[in-house]
Amino acid sequence: MRKNISTLTIVFLGLMVGLFTASCEKNQQVAERDLNAGALAVLHIPTDAQGRIVPNASGNVLNLSASNTYLLDSVTRVPAGYTLNIPAGTTIQTGTARTYTVTNPLDPSEVETRSIAGVLVVEKGGKLNANGTATAPVVFTAASANPSAGDFGGIILLGNAPTNKPGTQEIEGLPKAPTAGGNTYGGTVANDNSGSLKYVRIEYPGIRLFENQEINGLTLGGVGSGTTLEHIQVSWSADDSFEFFGGTVNAKWLIANSGDDDDFDFDFGYSGKIQFAVGLKDPSSTHSTSGGTSDANGIESDNDNTGANPANTPITRPVLSNFTLLGYSSAATDLRNGNRWRRSSSLKIRNSVIAGFPGGSAFESVTSSGADFSYNVLHAFTSLYPPTGDTAPSYVSNVTTSKAATGVGTAIGLGTNPFYNSSSATPYNVNSARPTSTSTTSFAGTEYSSFFTPTTYKGAIAPSSVGANWLAESWVVL
């Protein structure tokens, strides 16, 4: 936040009823009440001089109200022992930027200034409860009338769950924390609880501090399985949509829409479970490159994303089911692989549909012990199993494959046009992204008990003969 603020302004949509001032060297205090019944107030989330939330209730709790729109200034923090509660129907927008002097941790000689706003950091021991509903989601978004990727900062949850890095780590992409340990994550509490996110949209996020030092849409560092993540959409991220740095957190009903880099990125020993996840690539968005080559994947997974410690344990091994990951065109050179498993990562992914990328599933230096890629539908325009051509590793089984250049939807058992269509009023046809019939699936084994819901179909969305299309619910915006 800004360290010197002389005036805070409450702006009303449609009607301005007053101007209130407050001196703010230490605390940025804002009015908590709309003085004109029925009008929607735009308020800054109250923070102190170090960017920490200012409670309005006992127990270090800040309760927001759906009667207001809130501005998220600079890097706003929920410290250990604090809770931020955001009710259904609340909108949080990018607020006032602050200029930070930042040092590249990968190259300490590189020191720059960065103007940053709209970043929410939940520190270890803090909690964020943003619980929307299907008809009244919680929305984090840009304040601009014509937003672009990166206009909102992003959300970062930091927890005490295990990673495969020694001790605690500093999360990437943030300026130095005002207090010691404010950017750290990781510990020994597998069931650590960082709060609850339900029916949440995060729009236009992503900030690049330095190369390989970015803020994603939703960043999860050492987040534990006591945390609830359900029905979350990240759209137009300037980096990854979802990135998991270690931890054990589980999730259901995730959407990565039109992101620049990877839809889902796993690192540093992540071992959680995810079911019902959609990744939709968009030809009109930007796409990341590495060494001049596309590096935009549906999934990217590393045991150690630096490549320096490939044997660290626990091995990165997400347990995944019912993913639908869609690229878009046989002519596309700005996408890479539907899956990219590398740097000694392992994997377990079943009952999923991966299609529309040049490469299907890339198995690069995979830790094969416990690896499982089965009961999936895999399509690729160029090579099904890069970098080894179309030869499947031994842990691949019961996979239906296709390299169709046209008619991909029909070839893989989806609707006719499942990819982005720039000539359509609704560029994503959510009904074409669902299977046309049931298919053979597998939920065998202890890892697929309790958390996972058995299905009779592959992919994230049920065929019409089985159930409703959750991707068509009103909280989703594509």
Side-chain angles (χ1 to χ4, degrees):
M1 63 161 282
R2 297 167 295 176
K3 289 187 177 179
N4 295 288
I5 300 176
S6 60
T7 304
L8 291 176
T9 303
I10 300 176
V11 181
F12 292 90
L13 298 180
L15 182 64
M16 179 178 291
V17 299
L19 182 67
F20 298 84
T21 61
S23 175
C24 180
E25 176 61 32
K26 181 178 180 180
N27 292 335
Q28 185 184 68
Q29 302 288 358
V30 297
E32 292 286 341
R33 185 171 63 90
D34 182 2
L35 300 182
N36 180 22
L40 188 68
V42 180
L43 311 176
H44 292 267
I45 292 178
T47 59
D48 66 14
Q50 294 183 317
R52 300 172 300 195
I53 62 170
V54 176
N56 61 10
S58 61
N60 289 334
V61 175
L62 175 59
N63 296 312
L64 303 188
S65 169
S67 298
N68 307 316
T69 292
Y70 292 90
L71 300 179
L72 185 65
D73 294 334
S74 54
V75 178
T76 294
R77 294 177 173 272
V78 182
Y82 284 61
T83 298
L84 174 60
N85 292 322
I86 306 176
T90 306
T91 296
I92 298 91
Q93 296 179 338
T94 309
T96 304
R98 173 181 167 184
T99 298
Y100 295 82
T101 299
V102 293
T103 301
N104 187 349
L106 305 178
D107 181 4
S109 67
E110 189 178 359
V111 180
E112 302 285 349
T113 59
R114 296 282 190 271
S115 180
I116 300 176
V119 177
L120 180 61
V121 179
V122 181
E123 298 179 3
K124 289 173 61 172
K127 288 186 179 180
L128 169 64
N129 296 315
N131 291 320
T133 67
T135 55
V138 173
V139 180
F140 297 85
T141 191
S144 170
N146 296 293
S148 300
D151 284 354
F152 180 78
I155 298 176
I156 299 173
L157 302 186
L158 303 176
N160 286 287
T163 77
N164 66 16
K165 304 293 282 185
T168 57
Q169 296 293 308
E170 291 254 341
I171 197 68
E172 68 174 47
L174 284 176
K176 183 178 178 180
T179 56
N183 288 346
T184 62
Y185 67 94
T188 60
V189 186
N191 65 344
D192 191 39
N193 184 352
S194 295
S196 174
L197 278 69
K198 296 181 179 180
Y199 291 102
V200 170
R201 290 205 312 270
I202 305 169
E203 300 173 339
Y204 308 101
I207 293 176
R208 179 183 179 276
L209 219 59
F210 298 98
E211 186 71 25
N212 296 317
Q213 292 288 313
E214 301 100 354
I215 296 173
N216 307 286
L218 179 59
T219 302
L220 302 137
V223 177
S225 60
T227 308
T228 299
L229 302 177
E230 294 180 358
H231 295 99
I232 303 171
Q233 176 179 347
V234 176
S235 295
W236 291 93
S237 176
D239 195 59
D240 297 327
S241 295
F242 297 87
E243 184 156 14
F244 299 76
F245 291 92
T248 55
V249 66
N250 306 316
K252 280 187 175 180
W253 300 289
L254 305 182
I255 304 169
N257 170 35
S258 303
D260 169 88
D261 196 14
D262 306 313
D263 295 333
F264 303 92
D265 196 333
F266 307 113
D267 302 294
F268 297 162
Y270 173 70
S271 60
K273 302 175 177 66
I274 304 175
Q275 187 178 25
F276 306 123
V278 175
L280 301 172
K281 291 298 189 186
D282 184 339
S284 63
S285 65
T286 61
H287 294 106
S288 64
T289 59
S290 178
T293 301
S294 170
D295 201 27
N297 306 286
I299 291 174
E300 183 176 89
S301 185
D302 301 293
N303 197 47
D304 179 347
N305 68 10
T306 68
N309 301 288
N312 281 0
T313 56
I315 297 293
T316 300
R317 185 175 176 268
V319 181
L320 313 175
S321 185
N322 298 97
F323 273 56
T324 296
L325 302 172
L326 299 177
Y328 44 80
S329 170
S330 60
T333 59
D334 49 1
L335 301 179
R336 189 161 188 156
N337 299 301
N339 294 174
R340 193 181 187 196
W341 309 95
R342 61 177 189 171
R343 294 172 177 165
S344 300
S345 170
S346 191
L347 60 131
K348 186 164 188 174
I349 178 169
R350 290 184 175 181
N351 313 316
S352 296
V353 177
I354 302 151
F357 292 80
S361 197
F363 302 109
E364 306 171 20
S365 303
V366 167
T367 296
S368 59
S369 177
D372 179 9
F373 186 92
S374 58
Y375 295 93
N376 299 314
V377 175
L378 181 64
H379 168 271
F381 289 116
T382 302
S383 180
L384 291 168
Y385 301 108
T388 54
D390 291 336
T391 301
S394 59
Y395 44 81
V396 174
S397 64
N398 296 293
V399 175
T400 302
T401 62
S402 172
K403 292 175 69 175
T406 59
V408 176
T410 301
I412 61 175
L414 300 184
T416 304
N417 297 303
F419 302 145
Y420 183 97
N421 182 355
S422 59
S423 63
S424 173
T426 54
Y428 291 116
N429 185 333
V430 295
N431 287 318
S432 281
R434 67 195 309 186
T436 54
S437 64
T438 59
S439 53
T440 302
T441 60
S442 174
F443 289 87
T446 57
E447 287 179 301
Y448 280 114
S449 63
S450 66
F451 174 78
F452 288 97
T453 302
T455 67
T456 58
Y457 56 88
K458 298 179 176 72
I461 311 156
S464 57
S465 60
V466 173
N469 184 349
W470 65 271
L471 199 62
E473 292 176 347
S474 61
W475 71 277
V476 178
V477 175
L478 297 176

